[in-house]
């Protein structure tokens, strides 16, 4: 069963320019073989909901927001929604107001490693 549903998102007060972080618990499996293959993907419906809400960034505590051929990547990026992957400790932010800071390495590529920090406000 997919862990990303619009029904769950409707319970959150999501607004324009928000950064949405999904806690799936997959970061606990980082050193396991299936970490990069067995993870939930954001659905087209969820991606469209986030696009309609005009969020700024989407982050997951798993290897990716989707699987090949990476349609969700293309859809989010087409709408200028940046993607954060392989996050840890996202569960500690549940129910709290926080600000996300993402510091990517300056590389001439389409994606880069980043130091991501959340400051609880």
């Amino acid at each position: 069963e997919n862990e990303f549903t619009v029904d769950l998102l409707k319970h959150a007060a999501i607004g324009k320019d928000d950064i949405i972080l999904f806690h799936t618990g997959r970061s606990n499996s980082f050193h396991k073989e299936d970490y990069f293959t067995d993870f939930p993907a954001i659905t087209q419906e969820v991606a469209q909901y986030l696009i309609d809400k005009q969020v700024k960034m989407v982050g997951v505590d798993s290897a990716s927001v989707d699987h090949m051929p990476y349609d969700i990547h293309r859809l989010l990026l087409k709408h200028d929604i940046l993607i954060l992957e392989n996050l840890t400790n996202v569960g500690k932010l549940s129910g709290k107001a926080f600000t996300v800071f993402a510091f990517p390495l300056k590389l001439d590529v389409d994606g880069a490693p980043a130091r991501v920090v959340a400051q609880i406000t």
Side-chain angles (χ1 to χ4, degrees), residues 27-106:
S27 63
N28 297 333
S29 301
F30 183 74
H31 295 291
K32 294 184 180 173
E33 248 180 74
D34 67 350
Y35 176 79
F36 291 100
T37 58
D38 183 24
F39 56 87
I42 290 178
T43 63
Q44 179 91 20
E45 181 185 27
V46 167
Q48 190 59 57
Y49 184 84
L50 296 172
I51 290 165
D52 292 345
K53 291 289 186 176
Q54 298 179 315
V55 302
K56 182 187 300 188
M57 198 176 298
V58 174
V60 293
D61 64 344
S62 62
S64 181
V65 295
D66 63 344
H67 299 273
M68 281 180 39
Y70 305 112
D71 293 332
I72 301 303
H73 269 81
R74 281 192 284 283
L75 181 60
L76 293 174
L77 293 171
K78 175 179 151 187
H79 292 277
D80 296 322
I81 298 173
L82 299 177
I83 301 167
L84 298 168
E85 299 167 329
N86 297 298
L87 299 174
T88 60
N89 298 316
V90 175
K92 293 181 179 184
L93 302 172
S94 183
K96 298 179 174 125
F98 56 90
T99 301
V100 174
F101 300 92
F103 306 101
L105 293 177
K106 186 175 180 176

Side-chain angles (χ1 to χ4, degrees), residues 8-29:
L8 284 175
L9 291 176
K10 287 181 179 176
H11 292 17
I14 297 174
K16 184 179 190 297
D17 294 330
D18 279 354
I19 296 173
I20 307 304
L21 303 182
F22 289 100
H23 176 238
T24 67
R26 289 296 298 155
S27 63
N28 297 333
S29 301

